[in-house]
Amino acid sequence: MKKILIFSLIIILFTKCNCGSDLQNKHLTYQNIIILSDMSSRIDNKLPKDIDAIHTIIQFFKNECVKPGKKIGDKSSISFSVFSEKVSASIDIDKIKTLGAKQQFINSTGKYKNNGLDQQIEVFEQKINNIYANTRNSGLDLISVLIEKIENEPIIKQNTNFTNGVDTTFVNYDNHIYIFTDGYLEYSNKSTNSQFYFGSPEIDKVRQFCISNNINITKALQTNSSLCLPLSRSAKNQYITLHIFETHERDKNDKFQTYKYPKGLRDNEILEAVWRKWAKESGFKDLEWKKY
């Protein structure tokens, strides 16, 4: 009987230890910010707006993600590239493995006194300024390039976990892709591949469908799939929030603050609806569309 009681007590203690270990599990979330710029002729009209908006994103990365002097062991990252090239500038704190070195880099101290986060951010922004000053592309197939980057370039971070004894740390990454573009999907090789081409003729087709059927843009896209972009589903999409920063409305007269088309049928409204439907049905986590 005594042996049975001792055995039962061991089982109870073991169960309590296992249950208690769940309380030691950690769930940590870090940011992975990817900036992609459409370097077509649209930037000749609104160049300073891109630079200022990118600067704001970089400051968010520093002050709200990394938080020098306030946060320990951050794993956030930020990168920049134009659609026609691979990553041109990058800061990835996760690549610094030891906690001591990581904190020295973040706070620009110790061996990183002259090459820490502050200095790397200056280099990062200078590279972007130089690219904007010297790069111009003709229209590119932005959707196809975006799909290629997500699938075949190491820009997206996926969640992971590691165990230390009975404790498990779950590391989650919020992937944010900021796309600086005017929203028009126009490119020179349309005759070869028009799959994701969406320019003025396609916009006007949506507009005329709305007018002739007396329906709004959303209903038009739901009714007629030929007005939409083809879907592109990927297992990685669920981890990505897209941010479309639109800087140039072609049908808007900035001088007189007037539009060529009435509200509900403007280019920007049609483009936003088309992008949103494509992103949602392609399985992206979310999409933000921002005019600025």
Side-chain angles (χ1 to χ4, degrees):
M1 183 68 179
K2 185 177 180 181
K3 288 183 179 180
I4 294 174
L5 289 174
I6 293 172
F7 180 76
S8 298
L9 181 60
I10 291 172
I11 293 295
I12 292 170
L13 289 173
F14 180 78
T15 303
K16 285 185 176 179
C17 287
N18 276 340
C19 291
S21 69
D22 289 341
L23 300 177
Q24 303 302 313
N25 290 346
K26 294 181 181 178
H27 294 265
L28 304 174
T29 300
Y30 303 103
Q31 305 302 309
N32 179 33
I33 298 171
I34 303 118
I35 303 170
L36 301 175
S37 285
D38 165 16
M39 305 299 290
S40 62
S41 59
R42 60 107 198 165
I43 62 176
D44 293 323
N45 302 306
K46 309 275 176 126
L47 174 58
K49 299 186 76 173
D50 274 20
I51 297 297
D52 291 346
I54 291 172
H55 175 74
T56 299
I57 294 171
I58 294 169
Q59 290 304 301
F60 171 81
F61 166 75
K62 176 185 175 181
N63 298 324
E64 301 300 326
C65 301
V66 183
K67 296 184 177 180
K70 300 179 181 178
K71 187 177 180 181
I72 296 176
D74 189 69
K75 296 176 180 287
S76 297
S77 59
I78 187 170
S79 64
F80 172 87
S81 68
V82 301
F83 271 91
S84 58
E85 299 175 11
K86 296 187 183 299
V87 172
S88 303
S90 175
I91 301 173
D92 189 347
I93 297 172
D94 198 16
K95 289 184 177 180
I96 304 174
K97 297 305 178 184
T98 67
L99 182 60
K102 192 188 296 286
Q103 290 310 115
Q104 286 184 348
F105 175 80
I106 290 172
N107 298 312
S108 299
T109 59
K111 68 178 181 178
Y112 291 105
K113 183 176 181 181
N114 298 311
N115 192 31
L117 180 64
D118 288 338
Q119 292 77 19
Q120 287 302 307
I121 284 177
E122 289 182 13
V123 172
F124 189 93
E125 295 206 63
Q126 188 57 55
K127 286 181 179 178
I128 292 172
N129 288 334
N130 290 339
I131 289 170
Y132 267 87
N134 298 295
T135 305
R136 293 294 181 275
N137 294 136
S138 56
L140 296 173
D141 185 355
L142 297 191
I143 294 287
S144 291
V145 176
L146 176 63
I147 293 168
E148 176 72 17
K149 285 182 176 293
I150 291 172
E151 283 299 300
N152 299 316
E153 293 183 25
I155 62 172
I156 303 303
K157 294 191 175 187
Q158 297 192 49
N159 300 340
T160 186
N161 65 77
F162 57 90
T163 301
N164 181 14
V166 297
D167 303 333
T168 300
T169 299
F170 297 89
V171 178
N172 302 315
Y173 292 98
D174 284 339
N175 294 276
H176 295 269
I177 299 181
Y178 289 84
I179 300 176
F180 286 82
T181 180
D182 58 9
Y184 295 80
L185 299 168
E186 299 169 320
Y187 46 92
S188 56
N189 60 339
K190 179 186 178 182
S191 58
T192 304
N193 178 17
S194 62
Q195 184 179 24
F196 293 107
Y197 192 95
F198 206 92
S200 296
E202 287 72 25
I203 292 169
D204 198 55
K205 186 178 178 181
V206 175
R207 186 161 34 236
Q208 295 307 318
F209 189 86
C210 291
I211 294 170
S212 61
N213 292 278
N214 194 28
I215 56 177
N216 61 28
I217 299 168
T218 301
K219 185 65 175 178
L221 298 179
Q222 291 173 346
T223 303
N224 188 345
S225 61
S226 71
L227 302 174
C228 308
L229 293 171
L231 303 184
S232 176
R233 295 186 177 92
S234 165
K236 293 181 181 180
N237 291 353
Q238 63 184 306
Y239 303 109
I240 302 169
T241 298
L242 294 177
H243 305 261
I244 312 299
F245 275 36
E246 192 276 339
T247 59
H248 183 207
E249 298 178 89
R250 294 186 198 174
D251 60 341
K252 181 181 179 182
N253 186 315
D254 288 332
K255 181 178 179 179
F256 298 105
Q257 292 295 299
T258 57
Y259 287 86
K260 184 177 179 180
Y261 301 102
K263 186 171 178 59
L265 294 173
R266 294 169 183 168
D267 281 20
N268 181 272
E269 295 169 316
I270 293 171
L271 286 168
E272 178 181 357
V274 168
W275 273 89
R276 279 193 183 282
K277 190 173 189 297
W278 174 78
K280 180 179 180 180
E281 296 183 2
S282 293
F284 285 91
K285 185 177 180 179
D286 201 1
L287 179 142
E288 175 196 22
W289 182 283
K290 183 176 180 180
K291 292 195 300 179
Y292 72 105

